[in-house]
Amino acid sequence: MRRRLTALAVCAAVVLAVACGGDAVTAAPPPPPMHPVPGASGAGDPYYPDDGNGGYDALGYQVDVKYDPPSGHLDGDTTVTAKATQDLSRFDLDLRGLDVHGVEVDGKPAHFTREKAFELVITPPAPIRAGTTFRTRVKYGGDPAKTPHEGGSENGWRHSADGGAYVVGEPHSAAFWYPVNETPRDKATFTLTAHVPPGWTVVSNGREGPPGTWTDPNPVASYLTTIAIGKFTVDKSALPDGTPVVSAYAPGTEARRAIGDRLPEVLGFLSGKFGPYPQSAAGGIFLNEDVPFSLETQTRPTYAKWADLPTLVHESAHQWFGDSVSVRNWSDICLNECFASYSQWLWAEREGQNLDDRYRAAIEITRGSTDFWAQKLVDMGQGHEFEGVYNKGILALHALRREIGDPAFGKLLREWPTRFRHGNATWPDFEAMVTRISGGKDLRAFFDTWFRGTKLPADADLFPGSLRS
C-alpha cells in the first residue's frame, strides 16, 4: 500500500534529517565490479572430465516434453534454475543429439552454440553476477533414439516392446532427453510434465501430480532421473508412513507383480538396517526389455525383464546408498554398489543363511583366480568402475564387518546415510567414518589390501574376527 508522507516524515527521510533529530540516510554502496569469465566445460571428475559444467549450481529442472510414440519424435521445453558460483560471461549445459531451437536466460533471448559431443554453450544477454539465481529455458526436439550411445551401462533412449520408450543409463542418461548439468556432483530437484497421446502412460521419479506430471522435491543426481512411456498397468498403494508407492508393469511382466508386491516388506527391512526411508515416494518400473542391468532411478527403480527379488533388494538399498548419498567421483562407486550388493547378503541372513559360511565358500571358489582379485574397488580407472563392486565388493564389506565387529558395522550402516543425506560423499569420508566408529582402529592396511589392492589378501585380513574360527 502506498501512503502520502507528512512533512515530518519527509524530513526524516532525507539526508538533512539530522536537523529534525533523525539519523542520516546513507545510500547503499554500489555493487563491486564484475569480472565475468566462462564457466568450466567440465565438473572436474578425472574419469569423465567433460561431464557436467562449472560456474553454477543447478537448483531445479522443470522438464516439459511432448512425445509421439509412432514417430519417435520428442519436443522439449526445459527450464533450468541455477545459482551462479562465479561471475559468468557464458556457461554450458549438456545435451546429446537433439536440435536446439532457442534459448532464453531470465526471459531474454541468449546466444548459443554446440561444441564437442554434447556441450550446449550459452552466452546470456548480460553477464551473470556470482550469487545470482537465474533461469535458462531451452526449446529443443528430435528423435532421441537416434542419438549414439556407448552401450553397456549407457543405454540411451530406447523404444520399448509395446511401442513406447524409456531411458536409463549410468553414468550418462539425462542429457539424452533434456539439457542438464550431467554430473552427480550437482544434484537438483526434478519436475517432469509429459504429453503423450491417449492410451499411453508416463511414469517418472517422485510423486505423481496431474496426469503426466511427476515431481521429486529431493535433490536427484541427473543419471537417476527417468521417463518411461508405455501401455503400463499401474498399481498404487502406500507405505505404513503414508509414502506413496507407484509401480508400473509393462505388457508381459505380469509375473513380476509378485516381486513388486514385496517392496513394502523389503523397504521395512532395509529401514531397520539403514534408518528411515529417505525418499519422497517408492515403487518400480518393470520393463519387458532385456536390458543388461536394472538401475536405481530415484524413488522408482527401473527393472529389466529378468529382475528377481534380490534385484529388488539391491535397487531398493540404493535409495540410501547412491541416491540419497551420491558419489562425488565415479572412482568411489563402491560406496553405491558394494553396499547395495551386500544388502542382498543381509536379506539372505534375514532368511537364515550363515554369512560366514557363505563368505568362506566364496573365498574357496575365488582363491586361485588372479582376475577376480585384480579388480580394484577404489581408484579402479575409467571404464573399470563396475567390474569388481558386485562380487569382490560383497566380500570386502563382510570382511570389514568382521574386522570392526557387528555393533560398529551396524552403526556405520545407519550413520553413513544419515550424515550425508541428500548430499555427496567420497571414499576418504567413508574411511574416516569407519575409523572413528571403530574407536580409532588403524585400518589403513585393511583398506589398502581389500579396496585398493590387486591380490588375494593375507590371511589376517582375509579371515578377521569370527571368520578365523
Side-chain angles (χ1 to χ4, degrees), residues 148-450:
H149 57 86
E150 296 181 1
S153 59
E154 184 176 291
N155 202 54
W157 181 283
R158 292 293 189 96
H159 297 297
S160 52
D162 62 0
Y166 65 98
V167 60
V168 65
E170 184 180 14
H172 305 128
S173 174
F176 285 99
W177 63 293
Y178 67 92
V180 61
N181 196 19
E182 194 163 46
T183 169
R185 295 184 176 198
D186 194 6
K187 301 166 71 170
T189 60
F190 177 78
T191 295
L192 170 67
T193 300
H195 311 273
V196 293
W200 295 94
T201 299
V202 176
V203 184
S204 185
N205 309 85
R207 295 189 174 219
E208 187 177 16
T213 301
W214 299 83
T215 299
D216 195 337
N218 294 330
V220 190
S222 60
Y223 77 96
L224 299 173
T225 63
T226 191
I227 183 174
I229 302 161
K231 302 286 188 178
F232 294 113
T233 298
V234 179
D235 291 347
K236 299 180 181 181
S237 60
L239 299 179
D241 65 358
T243 300
V245 179
V246 178
S247 292
Y249 299 87
T253 64
E254 290 79 10
R256 300 274 81 82
R257 285 172 116 167
I259 295 172
D261 287 346
R262 299 191 68 179
L263 179 61
E265 176 190 0
V266 169
L267 292 179
F269 168 73
L270 295 176
S271 294
K273 294 291 185 180
F274 307 150
Y277 181 63
Q279 304 299 349
S280 64
I285 303 171
F286 293 83
L287 301 175
N288 191 19
E289 311 295 329
D290 196 19
V291 188
F293 60 94
S294 296
L295 188 68
E296 62 273 17
T297 42
Q298 188 158 305
T299 71
R300 198 154 287 109
T302 303
Y303 296 101
K305 65 188 300 181
W306 48 263
D308 53 12
L309 182 59
T311 306
L312 185 83
V313 173
H314 181 108
E315 306 305 340
S316 296
H318 270 308
Q319 303 307 307
W320 287 263
F321 294 89
D323 290 27
S324 178
V325 183
S326 301
V327 295
R328 178 169 173 80
N329 303 304
W330 285 105
S331 61
D332 296 342
I333 194 64
C334 184
L335 295 172
N336 297 3
E337 299 299 345
C338 293
F339 280 92
S341 298
Y342 192 68
S343 71
Q344 299 172 227
W345 274 36
L346 293 175
W347 181 264
E349 185 177 44
R350 169 188 183 265
E351 298 186 332
Q353 188 167 117
N354 185 302
L355 295 189
D356 283 357
D357 290 346
R358 185 172 181 175
Y359 175 92
R360 293 188 189 96
I363 294 298
E364 288 305 309
I365 292 172
T366 60
R367 184 185 287 274
S369 174
T370 55
D371 289 342
F372 180 89
W373 295 103
Q375 300 175 116
K376 297 178 70 174
L377 300 177
V378 176
D379 295 330
M380 64 287 288
Q382 193 273 330
H384 301 281
E385 298 95 318
F386 302 101
E387 292 178 358
V389 290
Y390 301 104
N391 41 46
K392 182 182 176 183
I394 297 177
L395 302 183
L397 285 187
H398 192 67
L400 176 63
R401 178 181 174 181
R402 293 301 179 231
E403 177 70 25
I404 66 176
D406 267 2
F409 190 76
K411 184 177 181 181
L412 174 67
L413 292 182
R414 295 181 69 89
E415 189 167 324
W416 179 259
T418 299
R419 166 67 178 81
F420 296 101
R421 181 182 174 93
H422 298 318
N424 296 82
T426 66
W427 186 258
D429 292 330
F430 177 73
E431 289 197 13
M433 181 175 285
V434 175
T435 300
R436 176 177 56 79
I437 288 176
S438 67
K441 190 172 185 178
D442 187 355
L443 296 167
R444 287 174 294 181
F446 181 92
F447 282 122
D448 283 344
T449 191
W450 264 109

Side-chain angles (χ1 to χ4, degrees), residues 39-56:
S41 61
D45 190 317
Y47 284 15
Y48 300 94
D50 292 330
D51 285 10
N53 307 284
Y56 64 90

Side-chain angles (χ1 to χ4, degrees), residues 62-82:
Q62 291 181 298
V63 181
D64 193 309
V65 296
K66 180 180 180 181
Y67 184 71
D68 179 57
S71 68
H73 185 85
L74 179 143
D75 286 311
D77 186 347
T78 290
T79 297
V80 183
T81 301

